[in-house]
Amino acid sequence: SAVISQKPSRDICQRGTSLTIQCQVDSQVTMMFWYRQQPGQSLTLIATANQGSEATYESGFVIDKFPISRPNLTFSTLTVSNMSPEDSSIYLCSVEAPSLQETQYFGPGTRLLVL
Amino acid sequence: QKEVEQNSGPLSVPEGAIASLNCTYSDRGSQSFFWYRQYSGKSPELIMFIYSNGDKEDGRFTAQLNKASQYVSLLIRDSQPSDSATYLCAGGQSGGYNKLIFGAGTRLAVHP
C-alpha cells in the first residue's frame, strides 16, 4: 500500500481564518480524495481531487469553502476557508490503490479545532 | 440515496470468541466491498476487501458477501482485546465514480 502523510497533524484555529492541509503520497496515484469525519461520526466525502483539473465536490460542499489543489500525481491540498466551530473535525485524505480499483488507503488525518 | 447500514453497537464479545459484524447496502450495482478498522484517534485501516459472492479468509478475518441479499459481514475469530475498535463497512458506488460509500461503523469491544 502507498505511504501517505498529512500536514499538519493537528491545529487549533480562530474562527474566520483559513487552514491549508497537505497530503503527500510516496508514489503516483490517479485518484485522491478528501474526507471529513466529525466527532463520533463516519466518513463524509468532501471531494475528489483531480490532477490537472478542478476537484469534483459532493453535495453540500463547495469550492469557495473547501478549495482543493492537485498539482501533480503525488500531492494535494485542501483549504478550509473562513472557519467556524462547526468545521472542527478530522480531515482525511485517501488514495486509490493503483492496482485495486476502488480500494482506498487513508492518510493519518488532520485534527482541526476551531475556537 | 445510496446507503450502507451498520449497527452502531457496541458489540461486546469475550476474548477468544467470534465477533460477527454485519452490513447491508442499498446500491445493487456495487461490485466491491471493504472493511476498515479504526482505532480511537487514528485513521481507518483497510483490513479486508471482497468482490465476489461467498467467503474470503485472511488470517483470523473472514469477509462474507451475499449480493442477492445485499449483505456483507466480517467475522473475527479468536477475538483479542486489541481488536477493540470501530469497524467501518464501505461499498463501491456503482456508475464508475471510483467512490466509496461508508457505513456509520460498529464499535467492537473485546473484554478479557
Side-chain angles (χ1 to χ4, degrees):
Chain A
S1 62
V3 176
I4 307 166
S5 60
Q6 283 186 238
K7 290 181 182 180
S9 59
R10 59 180 64 229
D11 208 341
I12 301 174
C13 301
Q14 297 298 319
R15 69 171 66 208
T17 63
S18 298
L19 177 72
T20 295
I21 302 168
Q22 299 179 4
C23 179
Q24 179 77 53
V25 191
D26 69 341
S27 58
Q28 293 186 338
V29 293
T30 303
M31 306 293 292
M32 293 182 77
F33 306 89
W34 287 99
Y35 289 83
R36 180 172 72 183
Q37 187 173 32
Q38 295 182 305
Q41 304 295 314
S42 189
L43 303 174
T44 301
L45 180 64
I46 297 171
T48 302
N50 303 309
Q51 195 269 330
S53 64
E54 276 195 6
T56 305
Y57 289 85
E58 297 300 302
S59 175
F61 297 96
V62 295
I63 188 171
D64 289 348
K65 176 67 176 177
F66 297 102
I68 287 171
S69 77
R70 179 88 193 270
N72 56 52
L73 292 175
T74 64
F75 186 77
S76 179
T77 67
L78 168 75
T79 299
V80 187
S81 303
N82 188 24
M83 289 184 285
S84 67
E86 291 71 36
D87 294 318
S88 297
S89 188
I90 300 173
Y91 291 86
L92 295 150
C93 72
S94 74
V95 305
E96 184 181 79
S99 56
L100 295 170
Q101 189 175 7
E102 295 183 328
T103 304
Q104 292 184 24
Y105 296 100
F106 284 86
T110 296
R111 287 180 171 272
L112 171 62
L113 177 63
V114 183
L115 302 177
Chain B
Q1 184 171 346
K2 298 171 182 175
E3 293 182 335
V4 173
E5 301 283 346
Q6 292 181 259
N7 188 318
S8 62
L11 173 66
S12 182
V13 301
E15 184 174 357
I18 296 175
S20 178
L21 304 162
N22 305 312
C23 169
T24 60
Y25 61 94
S26 64
D27 186 351
R28 283 201 167 271
S30 289
Q31 296 296 314
S32 53
F33 301 88
F34 306 87
W35 284 99
Y36 288 85
R37 178 176 63 198
Q38 186 172 27
Y39 292 114
S40 180
K42 301 294 186 181
S43 65
E45 172 193 10
L46 179 68
I47 54 172
M48 289 286 287
F49 59 87
I50 186 167
Y51 301 139
S52 303
N53 274 329
D55 296 359
K56 179 181 179 182
E57 188 175 315
D58 184 0
R60 294 187 297 113
F61 299 100
T62 298
Q64 299 174 319
L65 173 60
N66 184 323
K67 290 186 178 180
S69 300
Q70 296 178 245
Y71 179 88
V72 191
S73 66
L74 178 70
L75 301 178
I76 306 175
R77 289 181 299 281
D78 188 24
S79 295
Q80 302 297 309
S82 59
D83 294 324
S84 298
T86 297
Y87 289 79
L88 301 169
C89 172
Q93 184 174 338
S94 61
Y97 295 102
N98 294 88
K99 294 191 293 188
L100 298 182
I101 303 170
F102 282 85
T106 297
R107 191 156 55 92
L108 172 66
V110 181
H111 53 86

